[in-house]
Amino acid sequence: MSDHAHSEGHKPFSKSKGYTINELNDCPFGRRLSVLIVASILVLCQWYGGWAFAEGTGGAPDSHGEATRVRVVNVDLRSLPSVAAAKVASAPVKVTLGDNSESAGTPVEPSYFADPLMSKQQNLAAKAAVGLTVDITLPGIDFTGAVPADVVGEVGGGNFVQMVNAPGGSVFAVYDADSGDLVAGPTALSALWQGAGACAEGWGQPGVVHDLRADRWVLSELGAGNHLCVYVSKTGDPVAGGWYAYDFALPKFPDFARIGVWTDGYYVATNEDLPAVYALERGAMLNGEAAGWQRFTAPALEGFGFQALAPADLDGDSLPDSGTGGLFLRHVDGQAHGGGDRLELFELDVDWDSAGNSSISGPTPISTAPFDSSLCGYSAAGCVPQPGTEVTLDPMREVVMWAVRYRRFDTHESLVGNFSVDTGASNHAGIRWFELRRS
């Protein structure tokens, strides 16, 4: 990416200071996060003097436009009908996926790769639970009968908002973050549309983020056809404050849409014929105005049919330098896709006045400790067993899990995320945590 693509004052990403890899015992994030996980966990922390982006690998958006429809919805969520939980005997309903979704596949014999971070994790296992206090435990939304459930949730502004799939689209509920009490819902997200059109027929695959700087809630799901339905709360009150409802008609089916907050946009990553990312015009959406969108694509990986980037979600009060583009990540298993095991980082710079000036740059490879993405092979959906049931879980080996958290501290910037790996014995899934730092 050329320097002129950044606003004045932006600190260009570079490798001038190089980087080193520090393992678990030197990782304050890993130490803190590891106490939250009961299953096998793998932690990788990485410190960077700078992130560098490959020149000439990106380009301008391949398409752009404006939201097809915008609605102002003044409704108290408590007045909307609740969605009943599925009966125990009910047959699960499979949620519609895109053409590139993974198949059930045929499980294959596991590899016998021993993850090098396992020993470090096991050495900390005895310390993991020390000092852990859980303030609130709540059951959340009952099973609706939809498979996969795609459970997501976010805390912010004194509330916890949870979303899940249901046979008729996404369902959401609002809880008091201090008490855990249910405040509103669960109700169908499409009930917020309050009219006809693609968003009146929710297709599920929910997303939820809290825009901390604006104190707004942003909810999303797929609409009928190639539509993405996005709802932005008018105030910090998601229950009675009202909503702006947006219908974005897109050129491809935006499968597995995951949303993140950035300074100049709401950034969405999807699974399409190529990994695609969309920028949605945040400033306009906060005011209920006509909002633009821009679409970009990244190179596909060879080993996965299902694949998508993960957008960084901006946390905390300190912002990145002016002109810093939105960040996206994916992990790459060299055995499946070629090259060494690595993370790949992309940056998206958006010009809302002239789409031709927008660009995506990357991928920049970031070497990691070796890992193995083969969990019952590279495509089988049912692989991870659960206690007390024959129902198995999708390992989701293909994507960095939502959400990748960006935060700026006094001394450095940080990106924290995780993805599924085989720990090395009998397709035993584990979680590889990582932190990227720029000082």
Side-chain angles (χ1 to χ4, degrees):
M1 177 180 299
S2 58
D3 290 340
H4 64 74
H6 302 281
S7 299
E8 183 177 357
H10 170 56
K11 178 170 55 180
F13 292 101
S14 71
K15 285 187 177 177
S16 57
K17 297 183 182 179
Y19 63 85
T20 58
I21 297 177
N22 293 317
E23 303 293 357
L24 176 64
N25 290 339
D26 296 321
C27 172
F29 255 101
R31 224 178 257 123
R32 186 174 68 192
L33 291 173
S34 64
V35 301
L36 304 181
I37 306 298
V38 178
S40 298
I41 308 174
L42 309 175
V43 183
L44 172 66
C45 295
Q46 308 195 37
W47 275 251
Y48 284 84
W51 299 317
F53 290 94
E55 298 286 352
T57 56
D62 58 22
S63 53
H64 59 91
E66 285 192 347
T68 307
R69 300 179 70 181
V70 185
R71 305 180 73 91
V72 179
V73 181
N74 296 310
V75 63
D76 190 308
L77 299 186
R78 292 164 293 195
S79 68
L80 298 177
S82 296
V83 175
K87 296 180 180 179
V88 175
S90 299
V93 176
K94 187 172 178 61
V95 175
T96 302
L97 298 174
D99 294 336
N100 297 320
S101 61
E102 59 187 329
S103 62
T106 301
V108 299
E109 290 299 315
S111 67
Y112 292 95
F113 165 83
D115 195 291
L117 298 187
M118 273 299 295
S119 60
K120 291 182 177 291
Q121 176 63 34
Q122 291 165 347
N123 290 339
L124 280 185
K127 304 177 183 178
V130 176
L132 174 63
T133 300
V134 178
D135 294 326
I136 296 176
T137 300
L138 55 91
I141 300 173
D142 290 331
F143 177 56
T144 64
V147 177
D150 285 346
V151 182
V152 292
E154 179 86 311
V155 176
N159 296 112
F160 168 63
V161 176
Q162 184 190 14
M163 299 183 71
V164 300
N165 278 329
S170 297
V171 169
F172 74 107
V174 180
Y175 299 84
D176 185 287
D178 294 322
S179 66
D181 294 337
L182 178 66
V183 179
T187 191
L189 185 59
S190 58
L192 284 180
W193 185 249
Q194 302 273 300
C199 292
E201 182 183 350
W203 280 17
Q205 299 192 7
V208 54
V209 288
H210 180 250
D211 187 337
L212 177 64
R213 289 188 299 130
D215 190 21
R216 302 290 189 87
W217 286 93
V218 184
L219 313 182
S220 67
E221 74 167 335
L222 304 184
N226 296 346
H227 288 253
L228 179 66
C229 308
V230 182
Y231 301 84
V232 180
S233 65
K234 294 173 63 178
T235 71
D237 179 5
V239 177
W243 295 81
Y244 299 127
Y246 286 85
D247 176 1
F248 292 96
L250 304 175
K252 304 272 184 158
F253 180 67
D255 182 41
F256 198 65
R258 297 187 294 173
I259 192 167
V261 178
W262 202 248
T263 56
D264 61 348
Y266 296 126
Y267 287 172
V268 180
T270 63
N271 163 52
E272 300 180 11
D273 52 350
L274 291 172
V277 297
Y278 293 86
L280 310 181
E281 193 174 4
R282 173 179 176 269
M285 296 173 73
L286 290 174
N287 294 310
E289 301 169 351
W293 60 266
Q294 298 181 22
R295 177 183 184 268
F296 307 78
T297 57
L301 298 176
E302 295 296 328
F304 294 152
F306 169 82
Q307 53 187 289
L309 305 183
D313 185 54
L314 176 61
D315 282 359
D317 296 322
S318 297
L319 302 180
D321 287 340
S322 175
T324 301
L327 302 174
F328 295 81
L329 277 169
R330 69 180 175 193
H331 67 295
V332 183
D333 181 346
Q335 184 176 359
H337 313 297
D341 292 350
R342 60 196 183 275
L343 296 171
E344 289 187 343
L345 189 62
F346 298 79
E347 183 179 10
L348 179 58
D349 281 296
V350 175
D351 186 331
W352 289 113
D353 295 323
S354 178
N357 293 332
S358 301
S359 64
I360 186 170
S361 295
T364 291
I366 302 168
S367 298
T368 69
F371 60 85
D372 183 8
S373 297
S374 177
L375 287 159
C376 303
Y378 294 117
S379 63
C383 180
V384 180
Q386 301 183 86
T389 178
E390 296 298 318
V391 178
T392 55
L393 300 177
D394 188 337
M396 297 299 294
R397 68 184 73 73
E398 301 90 345
V399 293
V400 173
M401 297 297 184
W402 182 88
V404 175
R405 301 295 187 183
Y406 170 94
R407 191 153 192 164
R408 183 166 190 164
F409 298 89
D410 291 339
T411 58
H412 64 277
E413 297 168 270
S414 173
L415 281 170
V416 177
N418 67 86
F419 54 93
S420 299
V421 297
D422 187 352
T423 63
S426 302
N427 288 314
H428 188 170
I431 302 172
R432 171 71 67 90
W433 292 92
F434 63 86
E435 180 189 10
L436 307 182
R437 287 189 178 187
R438 185 178 74 167
S439 56

